[in-house]
Amino acid sequence: MSPLPSAHLTVDFEHWRVELHDEWLTRFGSPHFEPSRARSELLTRVVRHGVQQGGRHTLRFDRAQIIVANEVFPEAAMADPLADLEVWNEWSSGVRAFPYPGRFSRLGLVTQEGKTSATSSVGVLGEIMAGLFAQAGISPTVLVRVVRRWPDFIYTIGDRYAFVEAKAFTMRSEPGNEHLIPNGLGSRVQAPLLSECAHQAVLQLNADPAISVWGAFTAIRRIDPFELSVTFVEFDCGEHRRYSRLDRTLPQAVITGVAQRALSMAATRLAPQQLQQLQTLRRTNLREEVERQLVTLAQPFADSVLFEAGPQSAVDRSRGDVRDEIAHLARLATVPEQDEGRQFFAARALAAQGQAALVRAVGNDLIQVVDL
């Protein structure tokens, strides 16, 4: 019998800050500058000028905490990313092999290639770490969870927004690890990932210098037992550039995210027969009537989210844009046949009544939700 998996994960954490100077923003944000060259030159500057904030911290996470966080942070559906990575580790290290070659496989007559890397599990673990550390160090409330687009999370910090993008990789012989620099920030993050994030930060800060862009990089250094390195890289511009924009509006990612949240909440107020009209995009009078009801119901929800969505002047200037986005998304809305999220929302409804409601079982344990 093999030993039981460790009940804890050891994580060493570092926070780095990089100020993107005006010259960099102007030079590398131009559409005339080749993106691949921009990323390469930005990488050199980021590694050279990045400043570590607050030293290194070593933390221990309970395995159960990661399993619960798996319910709320990742966009991919996965029952247990830790168990998935442990199985992959057994195959890639030779502990397990296909049982089919026959009696003489130990003679080397049959070569078995290892299982491919569990890329989805790696990405999920990166999103979990990004969510946990961002809630602890940036803001406890996720304003927008962006799905299948950049960035992964949007938070508010006072009157500013923090865009957080999660990336993860293993420290095995993966493409990119050969570019790790011996010390400093470059020793913790793969060069292609760091340079890509820096370039995204340049483009976003040129569009809105009042936000900050964070890269949340998780390196899986060991699987048995789990040892991770989590590095948050904060990209920002100078204060004079940040405060030069007096006519602020909400970033488009915030507008879209608020509209999606408002529509999702509004849909809970519609009767099942009304939602049936949204199962196809075919234009009918009944569908258009339901769309109008959705837009009307969504507006108060949007206003409540916008109340804590950042600087009031930017919110006021963008209310019309949010209304337009709600109407646009309502025209594209469809109801999936399997009623997406039915089990979780049913559990939330029970929790609102003061009960501990079951979300799902994980082995012999239960994940429950309660209303705090």
Side-chain angles (χ1 to χ4, degrees):
M1 291 287 290
S2 60
L4 292 174
S6 173
H8 297 90
L9 292 81
T10 302
V11 180
D12 79 75
F13 174 81
E14 290 186 9
H15 168 206
W16 290 72
R17 187 177 183 277
V18 179
E19 181 175 324
L20 299 174
H21 304 299
D22 286 352
E23 172 206 345
W24 305 0
L25 293 168
T26 301
R27 178 176 172 82
F28 302 123
S30 169
H32 296 284
F33 207 96
E34 180 65 31
S36 60
R37 183 183 169 195
R39 288 191 288 268
S40 176
E41 295 194 21
L42 271 169
L43 177 67
T44 302
R45 289 165 169 77
V46 165
V47 171
R48 182 183 303 152
H49 295 278
V51 178
Q52 189 178 0
Q53 310 287 305
R56 175 179 291 189
H57 305 273
T58 301
L59 305 97
R60 295 183 75 197
F61 285 84
D62 190 277
R63 192 183 183 98
Q65 185 178 2
I66 305 302
I67 300 301
V68 172
N70 179 52
E71 297 294 320
V72 293
F73 291 124
E75 64 181 46
M78 185 161 295
D80 185 347
L82 300 181
D84 194 39
L85 285 167
E86 284 164 340
V87 170
W88 168 65
N89 185 57
E90 288 183 358
W91 284 95
S92 60
S93 61
V95 174
R96 291 180 63 182
F98 286 111
Y100 312 120
R103 298 176 59 186
F104 305 108
S105 59
R106 289 189 179 277
L107 295 179
L109 301 176
V110 177
T111 300
Q112 293 190 29
E113 298 294 335
K115 292 257 188 184
T116 57
S117 172
T119 53
S120 57
S121 302
V122 172
V124 163
L125 190 54
E127 290 172 336
I128 289 172
M129 287 293 126
L132 289 172
F133 278 97
Q135 282 197 314
I138 297 177
S139 172
T141 303
V142 179
L143 176 64
V144 176
R145 176 57 171 102
V146 185
V147 178
R148 288 189 287 274
R149 298 190 68 177
W150 183 91
D152 288 308
F153 303 94
I154 299 177
Y155 298 84
T156 54
I157 318 175
D159 63 349
R160 303 184 64 200
Y161 298 99
F163 284 22
V164 180
E165 175 70 4
K167 298 291 184 185
F169 57 98
T170 67
M171 294 301 291
R172 303 247 175 135
S173 54
E174 286 190 354
N177 284 341
E178 68 273 14
H179 300 301
L180 288 171
I181 299 166
N183 49 51
L185 176 57
S187 67
R188 297 178 61 87
V189 184
Q190 285 183 347
L193 298 181
L194 184 57
S195 60
E196 178 188 5
C197 188
H199 191 227
Q200 290 171 330
V202 165
L203 299 178
Q204 184 61 51
L205 287 169
N206 269 324
D208 186 354
I211 71 165
S212 59
V213 175
W214 298 68
F217 303 98
T218 297
I220 303 174
R221 297 188 174 275
R222 186 175 174 182
I223 292 177
D224 185 20
F226 274 102
E227 295 178 1
L228 312 179
S229 292
V230 176
T231 309
F232 268 46
V233 184
E234 176 186 2
F235 295 95
D236 211 341
C237 59
E239 288 192 4
H240 67 284
R241 188 182 187 98
R242 186 187 313 152
Y243 293 117
S244 65
R245 286 277 301 274
L246 300 178
D247 57 337
R248 290 192 57 195
T249 57
L250 294 179
Q252 182 59 38
V254 174
I255 290 172
T256 300
V258 168
Q260 290 172 339
R261 280 182 61 177
L263 279 172
S264 296
M265 290 185 282
T268 64
R269 301 295 180 88
L270 295 180
Q273 58 269 29
Q274 291 175 299
L275 289 174
Q276 287 178 2
Q277 304 301 323
L278 301 178
Q279 287 185 338
T280 70
L281 289 174
R282 187 165 58 88
R283 309 305 297 171
T284 65
N285 291 337
L286 288 175
R287 180 187 167 91
E288 291 175 1
E289 176 58 29
V290 173
E291 288 176 8
R292 284 192 289 271
Q293 291 184 44
L294 261 180
V295 172
T296 301
L297 290 170
Q299 195 57 53
F301 288 116
D303 290 339
S304 68
V305 175
L306 289 171
F307 179 75
E308 52 185 31
Q312 193 59 46
S313 59
V315 169
D316 291 340
R317 288 190 181 93
S318 301
R319 288 189 187 278
D321 294 329
V322 174
R323 284 194 295 270
D324 292 343
E325 188 70 10
I326 289 173
H328 170 70
L329 293 177
R331 288 193 294 271
L332 302 176
T334 59
V335 176
E337 293 182 6
Q338 294 185 339
D339 194 7
E340 180 180 354
R342 178 182 69 253
Q343 182 173 339
F344 185 77
F345 288 118
R348 285 286 299 273
L350 285 175
Q353 300 172 18
Q355 302 180 42
L358 176 66
V359 175
R360 69 182 179 92
V362 180
N364 295 324
D365 298 320
L366 302 178
I367 296 178
Q368 297 178 309
V369 59
V370 296
D371 190 345
L372 297 180

